[in-house]
Amino acid sequence: MRLELTERWLTPDGLHRRERLIASGFQGAWREILKGFPGADALGPQVGDLRGIDLTQVELPGAEWVHVRLDGARLDDCGLYEARLDFATLSGASLSWARLDRASLMACVAMDTCWDDASLEGAVLTASNLVRGSFRRARLQGARLTAATLMKADLRCANLRGAELSCCDMEEACVAGVLSDRPRTYAQAGLGNADVRYYQEYGGYPSFMDALLLDPGPRALRWLDRRELVLHVEAAVEMSPGVDAEILALFRETHPIFHKLAVVAMLIGGARPEPLAALWDLIDRGSGACPQLTIAALLLDPGFEAAARSRLKAPDELRHDAASSLMWALGLDQSNNVWERPGESTCRRWMANLRKHMAASIQKRWRRAEVSVYSA
């Protein structure tokens, strides 16, 4: 959206018009207030031009916004109970924490729109274009999404209980952690011949089942080369009632796939003493995920350097990839290393993909390791 469409609302004229619009409650002939406003006349008198407006925390129950242009608008924490937004355009708008219960948004266009934490209980979004929308933790109980397009939408941890989803296009949508009336089914187990029900009921990490069984599944943990997997683990960490207990349960499994998954969860959710101790114990015992475990220790453990150096004093007690990974993390020269260097190459590639796919807000929480490899 063009910057001038937002800046026009910050002029004395724009601020005055905004106050009049709010006072009208967007009822009746409120479009008359926009006559002569920059950009509004080009859309015609029947289309209300509210592009770029900021109505954060404004209460507007029952607002009449049929055919209104709200591209790039700020409607965060806005009260829009039973509002009418049929055929409206909300592309690029932000409606986080907005309250749109029983609102009508039939055939609206809302591409790349943020609905995170919004309440849309009983709302009607029939035939709406919601491509690439973000609905994280949104409450959509009883909403009607018949024939809506949710392609590539982010629905992580959204509540869709009682929602009508017939003929809804959800191709490539991220649905990890979605709450629904229907039992979760998976196209493929992703764990060979593993009994999915066993892992769900007895594995001790129920929040991570989507990360394990939704595409791209555990195979993406080898190099962490698919962002979708990181999104699934973010949802698991967010929805877990006891994330440390679930991480410890993953660490107790013998297959390194589970250890790698636990590492991603720790990097997202942080590391407390007990999971950190379990991580170091796996390095000592020789997990097949030593490079990934080393990266997590490097980024999360303030005492990493001392712990790593103490282990390298007795290298014969470590797996080759564990010793190589610890040397890489400390920035030590491995040109004359008597051990092979499989850990080093894995660490470099995994770290690069970690930087590429993990959210910047998460990376800011990691320890600022004063070693040359940190920015590798």
Side-chain angles (χ1 to χ4, degrees):
M1 191 185 69
R2 302 193 307 274
L3 183 60
E4 58 266 25
L5 293 175
T6 300
E7 291 183 337
R8 61 183 176 165
W9 294 104
L10 303 178
T11 64
D13 177 48
L15 291 170
H16 177 63
R17 291 179 191 258
R18 177 181 176 276
E19 290 302 317
R20 291 176 61 196
L21 288 167
I22 292 173
S24 75
F26 293 93
Q27 305 285 340
W30 61 265
R31 287 172 174 79
E32 297 294 319
I33 299 171
L34 294 171
K35 284 186 176 179
F37 194 47
D41 294 338
L43 298 181
Q46 302 303 317
V47 179
D49 183 9
L50 301 178
R51 291 175 293 175
I53 195 170
D54 188 340
L55 295 171
T56 300
Q57 296 185 329
V58 177
E59 296 296 322
L60 298 166
E64 293 287 342
W65 281 349
V66 177
H67 283 294
V68 167
R69 293 289 299 272
L70 285 151
D71 316 55
R74 293 292 305 275
L75 304 169
D76 303 303
D77 198 16
C78 188
L80 291 165
Y81 302 104
E82 301 182 354
R84 293 187 59 208
L85 293 99
D86 303 325
F87 308 103
T89 302
L90 295 125
S91 295
S94 181
L95 294 100
S96 61
W97 294 101
R99 285 147 282 129
L100 295 113
D101 300 328
R102 300 175 302 283
S104 182
L105 298 101
M106 291 182 60
C108 75
V109 177
M111 301 173 66
D112 300 294
T113 302
C114 178
W115 310 82
D116 293 350
D117 298 290
S119 181
L120 292 135
E121 296 186 27
V124 178
L125 296 107
T126 302
S128 289
N129 184 347
L130 308 170
V131 171
R132 295 185 301 275
S134 182
F135 291 83
R136 292 191 67 181
R137 300 170 300 276
R139 299 179 293 284
L140 288 148
Q141 297 97 306
R144 291 174 58 188
L145 291 150
T146 307
T149 302
L150 282 157
M151 186 183 299
K152 298 184 179 180
D154 187 349
L155 291 157
R156 285 177 291 165
C157 301
N159 192 333
L160 289 167
R161 291 191 176 104
E164 174 56 59
L165 299 168
S166 58
C167 301
C168 186
D169 183 356
M170 298 178 72
E171 183 179 356
E172 296 185 58
C174 187
V175 296
V178 162
L179 302 176
S180 174
D181 298 321
R182 302 175 182 178
R184 170 72 82 183
T185 57
Y186 301 94
Q188 56 184 6
L191 291 172
N193 296 316
D195 185 338
V196 174
R197 179 172 294 180
Y198 169 82
Y199 285 103
Q200 287 176 322
E201 297 180 2
Y202 304 108
Y205 35 84
S207 304
F208 289 85
M209 295 310 300
D210 284 352
L212 283 166
L213 300 174
L214 290 176
D215 186 71
R219 64 184 180 275
L221 285 163
R222 183 181 182 186
W223 301 119
L224 203 67
D225 54 357
R226 294 283 297 277
R227 182 173 179 268
E228 295 90 337
L229 176 67
V230 175
L231 299 181
H232 295 163
V233 181
E234 277 189 41
V237 170
E238 183 176 302
M239 69 185 293
S240 174
V243 67
D244 285 355
E246 295 199 50
I247 287 172
L248 291 170
L250 289 167
F251 278 152
R252 285 193 292 270
E253 295 285 356
T254 56
H255 200 290
I257 278 177
F258 298 95
H259 306 164
K260 295 172 186 177
L261 182 59
V263 162
V264 179
M266 290 178 69
L267 289 167
I268 291 171
R272 269 67 62 186
E274 194 172 0
L276 261 181
L279 182 152
W280 280 111
D281 183 58
L282 279 172
I283 292 176
D284 294 338
R285 289 191 287 115
S287 166
C290 279
Q292 292 82 6
L293 293 163
T294 298
I295 286 175
L298 170 68
L299 298 179
L300 297 173
D301 188 351
F304 172 80
E305 184 172 356
R309 291 187 183 280
S310 68
R311 283 163 172 78
L312 287 175
K313 290 179 180 178
D316 293 338
E317 298 180 9
L318 295 171
R319 283 172 54 111
H320 288 172
D321 57 346
S324 176
S325 298
L326 291 172
M327 291 186 70
W328 171 86
L330 290 169
L332 300 177
D333 181 18
Q334 299 192 53
S335 58
N336 297 318
N337 191 358
V338 296
W339 314 292
E340 297 178 2
R341 297 163 52 186
E344 179 182 359
S345 59
T346 302
C347 283
R348 288 186 182 280
R349 187 167 175 180
W350 220 75
M351 177 70 90
N353 284 329
L354 192 64
R355 288 292 195 185
K356 179 180 179 180
H357 298 307
M358 199 72 78
S361 59
I362 293 173
Q363 295 187 40
K364 288 178 181 179
R365 299 197 297 263
W366 295 340
R367 185 177 73 90
R368 296 188 61 82
E370 298 299 330
V371 292
S372 59
V373 297
Y374 189 69
S375 58

